[in-house]
Amino acid sequence: MQVYRGMDIGTAKPTPAERAEVPHHLVDVAEPEIAFTVADAQAIGRRVLDDLAERDVPALIVGGSGLHFRALVDPLVSPPSDPALRLELEALAPADAVEALLGADAAAGDLVDLENPRRVVRALEIHRLTGRTPSERAATPEARAVRAYESVVPVVPVGLDPGDDLGTRVTERFDRMLERGLVDEVRDLAPRLGPTSRNAVGYRQLLPVVAGERDLTEGRRRCIDATTSLARRQRTFFGRDPRLRWMEWDDDPDTRTRQVEVVLEEAGWTS
């Protein structure tokens, strides 16, 4: 979500001073009205990585989204989409959508969560646009490489385990955002938030607050709950990746830095 201009406080965007000290990429590259997709992030990010590699400059890929991380380093293929077709398919009854998908691919249930209407519709959309069923897409070399966690760029993934005190740190972090003026930021951006940006954690829960439909106490609680839930889901997502080296949380930032340095040295990345 840091790709969006103006969404500074709620995304914990690096400060101008931090960005002046270390070059940052994929920050402030889109207006909040734009539906910035994983495919967009992949295309821009891959160009950045290629440019840095040509200049022998190492990159740090940081953040919480496992899907975006994998889109940068693994051979994920982003199928096309068509908003008009998506609306047409979303109008189908869930049972009819499942029937249509299974009619095209009897084994689709092994690859698509048939209880999730959004995933069923997306699978149908891809089939209509490309002619490829979930089974056919799963059999491609790229799909096999993704399942095997085979990256297309040299990468040393490091995970910092949040430990047992995650809830406290999430609460303190969110309260600092409120002190910095997050509610005013959401209020100012509300008319401009598009289909992707308006679902950002923190913004989605505070939009009813600035609209007068929910009090700030309840909005704060929902923001903290949503942030904690997201952090746990991402920990589960990353936990499936056998490439990651996990480190235990330490309150001392210097200790955390040394832990990362040890991992990089063991991997032969001493620069």
Side-chain angles (χ1 to χ4, degrees):
M1 293 296 175
Q2 292 181 351
V3 301
Y4 288 116
R5 300 183 184 97
M7 294 175 63
D8 302 334
I9 299 172
T11 66
K13 193 174 292 181
T15 66
E18 291 168 334
R19 293 166 66 179
E21 183 177 358
V22 179
H24 287 68
H25 305 275
L26 269 75
V27 175
D28 288 345
V29 298
E31 298 299 334
E33 295 90 345
I34 302 299
F36 198 87
T37 67
V38 173
D40 295 326
Q42 182 186 57
I44 298 174
R46 289 276 182 87
R47 288 198 295 269
V48 171
L49 291 177
D50 289 343
D51 175 65
L52 294 176
E54 288 180 3
R55 294 186 282 122
D56 198 26
V57 176
L60 291 176
I61 302 174
V62 299
S65 172
L67 180 58
H68 286 78
F69 166 72
R70 296 209 67 188
L72 286 176
V73 305
D74 294 338
L76 280 178
V77 176
S78 297
S81 61
D82 183 318
L85 176 59
R86 178 75 64 87
L87 286 175
E88 175 188 332
L89 295 173
E90 288 176 343
L92 293 173
D96 292 338
V98 170
E99 182 180 358
L101 182 61
L102 292 177
D105 182 359
D110 296 331
L111 301 162
V112 179
D113 181 3
L114 300 182
E115 299 296 324
N116 187 324
R118 183 176 61 85
R119 294 188 183 277
V120 172
V121 165
R122 179 58 177 150
L124 279 173
E125 179 188 21
I126 295 170
H127 178 247
R128 293 276 188 91
L129 293 173
T130 68
R132 306 186 80 177
T133 66
S135 294
E136 289 170 339
R137 290 189 290 115
T140 65
E142 293 83 4
R144 289 195 293 268
V146 168
R147 291 195 295 273
Y149 291 91
E150 297 174 356
S151 60
V152 294
V153 297
V155 60
V156 180
V158 179
L160 185 59
D161 196 296
D164 297 328
D165 202 27
L166 174 64
T168 299
R169 292 203 305 278
V170 167
T171 299
E172 292 175 349
R173 175 179 180 268
F174 185 74
D175 284 341
R176 288 195 298 270
M177 290 179 175
L178 290 178
E179 292 171 0
R180 291 181 56 202
L182 177 57
V183 174
D184 289 336
E185 180 175 276
V186 175
R187 181 179 293 109
D188 292 342
L189 287 170
R192 301 183 56 206
L193 295 178
T196 305
S197 58
R198 73 183 301 104
N199 283 310
V201 170
Y203 295 83
R204 179 178 183 177
Q205 292 76 21
L206 288 181
L207 281 171
V209 173
V210 302
E213 301 167 357
R214 178 184 297 161
D215 63 40
L216 180 56
T217 299
E218 176 64 13
R220 173 183 176 274
R221 182 190 67 80
R222 294 193 182 202
C223 287
I224 291 171
D225 289 348
T227 304
T228 303
S229 176
L230 174 62
R232 288 173 175 160
R233 291 198 306 274
Q234 294 295 359
R235 175 61 176 86
T236 299
F237 186 102
F238 281 114
R240 302 188 188 104
D241 192 330
R243 298 168 297 187
L244 259 74
R245 291 283 302 274
W246 287 98
M247 304 180 304
E248 293 185 2
W249 174 265
D250 193 291
D251 289 332
D252 179 12
D254 291 334
T255 298
R256 298 198 299 269
T257 299
R258 286 194 295 271
Q259 288 178 317
V260 175
E261 289 173 345
V262 168
V263 172
L264 295 178
E265 288 174 0
E266 291 176 351
W269 289 33
T270 57
S271 60

